[in-house]
Amino acid sequence: MLRESAISFGYDLDLATVGDPAIPTAIPGGNALLDLVDVALGKSDKPLLDAQQAIINTLGPEALVDAAAVLGNFEMMNRVAEGTGIPIPQQSIDRESEIVAALGLLDLIKG
Amino acid sequence: MFDFARSPVPVRDNLKRAYRNIWAHLAQPGPVLDASHRKVLLDAARTGRSDETPPTGIAPPALELLATTLYTNPAAVSETTVRDAADEASDAAVAETVGLVAMLSAVDGAHRVLGVELEALPNPAPGSPTGRIAQGLKRRRTHIPMPSGAIPRALDLVPEVATVWRNSFGAQYMTESEMALHDFRRVPGLDRAQMELVSSRTSLINECFY
């Protein structure tokens, strides 16, 4: 869905950026959003205040709230998926084949 | 509760309402667990558990291990983790625990992004478990029984938990009708591509395809 939505907005997205936030996303504020996720989930030592301010400066205060809510939603969905063991539908794998290949996610799906 | 007075930015009202609805649910007796047991499990999840930390002795140990592992490291939850908890407590207790921990993770995750103190868990309301458990569901190569269909049906074994969970999607992410729009944009706020970037990175870090 990331690919489809990026196309809808005319962004020339490189999907590899999801796995490597150092790659420019070509999405407005995209790298700041990736930084914020990494800081919030303990994958980056950058100060949270800096990551928050980057979002506020580039996308506005409402964007920071949206980012917090979306991150929370996927913290939730990931746990329901892991806890219930719901299988990933083949059509989802097919639809996301590009990102699966770009990020090397086949092991994740099989696991 | 959920006034976000220390947040660096104002928090929209529908998100506050969604979190308050979750908290109101956490405070009530559930299908299998009374409200006190729910709080014990959620406290344990937030505290975390290691080999040096003994289980509380109040909740079933395998269910508590599921709750703490799911909260702290969801990728480490295996079928064995879940089956052990189900053997000890029941499939419905597992479904209820997964739903509660997942919703707690959502609320706490957003608080961490905003850099505000986690909301205290609600005081447990008195009363016995409701016993409302869906009948006739089967395991479909899944850890717990559920109907066929996509992830929003995954907690249908415990309908009252599933309803609160599904009702939180709209404010946190998108409503069902908004999800049909690849060019959805929250105005003011993020467009869908920006939202999907956040969700994809979050899932990747959690080692979860979803």
Side-chain angles (χ1 to χ4, degrees), chain B residues 71-86:
Chain B
Y71 184 85
T72 56
N73 185 10
V77 172
S78 66
E79 183 169 6
T80 302
T81 315
V82 179
R83 289 295 182 94
D84 286 351

Side-chain angles (χ1 to χ4, degrees), chain B residues 130-201:
Chain B
T130 65
R132 287 193 283 269
I133 299 164
Q135 301 298 311
L137 299 179
K138 298 174 184 170
R139 282 194 175 81
R140 300 171 184 276
R141 292 183 296 150
T142 52
H143 300 341
I144 60 171
M146 66 180 71
S148 61
I151 195 166
R153 318 280 3 145
L155 297 176
D156 278 10
L157 184 62
V158 284
E160 63 210 70
V161 180
T163 298
V164 175
W165 172 58
R166 281 194 296 267
N167 285 346
S168 74
F169 295 172
Q172 296 189 86
Y173 182 49
M174 286 178 272
T175 63
E176 199 172 334
S177 58
E178 289 165 349
M179 281 188 216
L181 307 170
H182 287 308
D183 60 352
F184 171 72
R185 183 191 297 271
R186 200 180 282 282
V187 181
L190 296 181
D191 67 36
R192 182 160 184 174
Q194 293 164 325
M195 293 166 72
E196 302 289 6
L197 202 55
V198 171
S199 66
S200 297
R201 183 70 185 161

Side-chain angles (χ1 to χ4, degrees), chain B residues 75-144:
Chain B
V77 172
S78 66
E79 183 169 6
T80 302
T81 315
V82 179
R83 289 295 182 94
D84 286 351
D87 289 346
E88 186 181 64
S90 77
D91 285 328
V94 164
E96 181 174 348
T97 300
V98 168
L100 298 179
V101 170
M103 289 189 279
L104 177 69
S105 301
V107 177
D108 288 358
H111 279 64
R112 290 188 181 103
V113 173
L114 294 171
V116 295
E117 194 175 341
L118 300 185
E119 190 77 35
L121 288 170
N123 291 325
S128 301
T130 65
R132 287 193 283 269
I133 299 164
Q135 301 298 311
L137 299 179
K138 298 174 184 170
R139 282 194 175 81
R140 300 171 184 276
R141 292 183 296 150
T142 52
H143 300 341
I144 60 171

